[in-house]
Amino acid sequence: TRQSRLGAPTRVVAGATDSFAFTVPGLNPETTYYYELTLSNDAQIEQSASARGSFATTASQALLPVAGDPAATRTRIQDEIDAAALQTPAGTVVLGEGVFEIDAQLMVTGGVRVVGLGWAKTVVKQTVAGNTARCATVSGGAKLEGVTLTGGHTRAKFESGAGVLVERGTVSWCCITNNQTGDPDWHSVTVNNIYGAGVHVKQGTVDHSIIALNTAYANGGGNSHGGGLGVQNPTGPILVETCLFYGNRAPNGNGGAICAEFGNNHNPLTVRNTTIANNEASGSGGGAYVTQFGTTPDFALVNSLFADNVSGAEGADPNLSLLSSLVAVYAEQSFGNLFANGTPALGADSKSVAGSGERWFVKAPKGNYHLPSGSPAVGVGKWYEGIAEDLDRARRLKKPAAGCYEAQFCTIMVLR
């Protein structure tokens, strides 16, 4: 007897029998699947049958933290990830409600999907002291979704991404907060050439996430860049989609929220539908600092909003710092953006508004970056095919707002 699945026949039973069972691997929990099944008997007298229908999977057994034992908690999660990576296709690991204190980074790889119950309910907290204690690395086409990553730190040269390192994977609907590189109290250790305290991306996607209150320190000379997110010499294309950056700092470098340096390998970074506000850098680009070699456009900025970012370099723009000779190159790829403080508008259909952006948000000092009625960001963005829902899962309007939130009255979790 054979079963046809995705066009490939699979032998599920041999020999005479009245009934048989077949397990379909790699299904997601709490999901309805529709199927068309064809069975054929390859005996001397061939017979066949077919059926259509649907079935719903039940909830996976959610993992819970081991109280007071970060090593056991991390081992429990990692063992499940490693087992899920052996499935074909790779399986899903569900984290339940609670604070998952861990003693070393989680290695999310092998195409596995690790999903929590949302950033307010599932918190992964790095607790170990030492030179490097990242929260997680996501690689091998894996996905991390619905968790908060906090407490991560890296204290060695070139070690970026204290919250999460994305080598080839996806981070969705996560909150990456209060992670840091370096340490202002460590004077005997050299920590520099950092790109991204909260997130460092080599290749992949960071979408529908809050990146807030992360700090990129440097020790022993040199610079550390990108308090929120960093990119250096990416190995593949990178998408930052519908994210909120606020309160990130680069006290010893460039790019308070985002710093990207491409070198000569032209793998593009696209930032779209993203709010970047109240971030700070001692150097250039309180909001973002982007550099590249040559004239191949590596950077696109779409429907994004910059407001009240601060940089310390003399003569540097307080919001978005780009090499002036390359602004025209970037602008070819960019559209629908809004800038406060009179920053020159970048890209087609973009706007620049003089003065502070505080009136653009419901209550920015409290971490609420939703848009009130009359915000200059309302209707500034440009519609394109495949535009994503906003950070509240609300549908985008045909004339969308700039930034991560569509125009509506909502509340937001405040991070402290």
Side-chain angles (χ1 to χ4, degrees):
T1 304
R2 294 176 182 269
Q3 182 220 26
S4 178
R5 182 172 183 265
L6 300 180
T10 302
R11 182 177 295 277
V12 296
V13 68
T17 182
D18 293 329
S19 63
F20 62 89
F22 179 75
T23 300
V24 181
L27 300 181
N28 293 323
E30 298 183 279
T31 303
T32 298
Y33 288 90
Y34 297 87
Y35 65 85
E36 180 174 352
L37 183 68
T38 301
L39 301 175
S40 63
N41 183 343
D42 58 1
Q44 185 173 1
I45 302 175
E46 185 170 331
Q47 296 177 329
S48 64
S50 62
R52 294 181 180 181
S54 65
F55 62 90
T57 55
T58 58
S60 294
Q61 184 69 35
L63 298 180
L64 295 175
V66 180
D69 196 338
T73 296
R74 189 258 310 163
T75 299
R76 174 179 289 183
I77 299 171
Q78 193 64 59
D79 285 349
E80 290 294 322
I81 293 172
D82 295 343
L86 297 177
Q87 300 177 22
T88 306
T92 297
V93 176
V94 179
L95 303 183
E97 185 170 356
V99 178
F100 291 76
E101 294 186 335
I102 57 175
D103 70 331
Q105 68 171 322
L106 298 174
M107 303 300 294
V108 186
T109 189
V112 173
R113 178 176 175 240
V114 175
V115 57
L117 302 183
W119 58 54
K121 292 184 177 181
T122 303
V123 178
V124 175
K125 183 178 181 181
Q126 183 58 258
T127 62
V128 70
N131 285 345
T132 297
R134 181 182 290 121
C135 291
T137 291
V138 181
S139 63
K143 185 172 184 179
L144 180 63
E145 180 179 347
V147 303
T148 286
L149 299 175
T150 189
H153 54 85
T154 58
R155 291 171 175 163
K157 190 175 182 179
F158 301 116
E159 289 188 335
S160 304
V164 60
L165 169 63
V166 183
E167 293 185 321
R168 183 172 67 85
T170 301
V171 173
S172 294
W173 299 101
C174 286
C175 176
I176 298 99
T177 182
N178 287 295
N179 303 282
Q180 74 174 51
T181 57
D183 192 319
D185 297 325
W186 285 34
H187 302 292
S188 60
V189 179
T190 298
V191 180
N192 59 14
N193 294 301
I194 299 296
Y195 289 83
V199 187
H200 181 81
V201 189
K202 284 294 186 182
Q203 178 180 350
T205 298
V206 179
D207 71 272
H208 295 88
S209 294
I210 297 174
I211 297 103
L213 308 173
N214 302 286
T215 305
Y217 289 110
N219 303 86
N223 297 306
S224 290
H225 311 289
L229 181 144
V231 174
Q232 185 190 34
N233 297 325
T235 57
I238 297 170
L239 173 63
V240 176
E241 166 75 72
T242 313
C243 290
L244 170 62
F245 290 82
Y246 76 87
N248 300 288
R249 300 171 58 236
N252 309 106
N254 303 320
I258 297 174
C259 184
E261 296 192 4
F262 296 95
N264 288 312
N265 54 344
H266 297 293
N267 293 302
L269 164 65
T270 300
V271 177
R272 64 189 186 198
N273 308 312
T274 288
T275 297
I276 299 176
N278 296 110
N279 303 279
E280 181 180 354
S282 65
S284 298
Y289 184 78
V290 182
T291 64
Q292 71 177 58
F293 296 99
T295 58
T296 300
D298 294 332
F299 177 65
L301 186 68
V302 176
N303 288 357
S304 292
L305 187 162
F306 284 75
D308 298 328
N309 301 290
V310 177
S311 60
E314 183 178 355
D317 187 281
N319 290 282
L320 179 66
S321 181
L322 304 173
L323 295 184
S324 58
S325 62
L326 296 176
V327 169
V329 176
Y330 295 130
E332 293 175 4
Q333 306 290 97
S334 304
F335 54 84
N337 302 297
L338 180 63
F339 303 90
N341 298 316
T343 304
L346 177 66
D349 300 314
S350 295
K351 290 185 179 181
S352 178
V353 178
S356 170
E358 184 175 338
R359 65 188 177 90
W360 298 6
F361 308 111
V362 172
K363 191 167 283 189
K366 298 294 185 180
N368 190 334
Y369 289 91
H370 289 81
L371 306 178
S373 176
S375 171
V378 175
V380 170
K382 187 175 180 181
W383 177 266
Y384 57 89
E385 193 66 30
I387 190 171
E389 60 187 1
D390 82 346
L391 198 53
D392 284 328
R393 299 186 184 271
R395 183 171 57 87
R396 288 285 187 173
L397 303 177
K398 277 296 182 181
K399 189 64 175 172
C404 62
Y405 293 111
E406 195 46 77
Q408 55 186 319
F409 294 98
C410 299
T411 58
I412 189 172
M413 181 183 74
V414 177
L415 303 174
R416 291 297 181 195

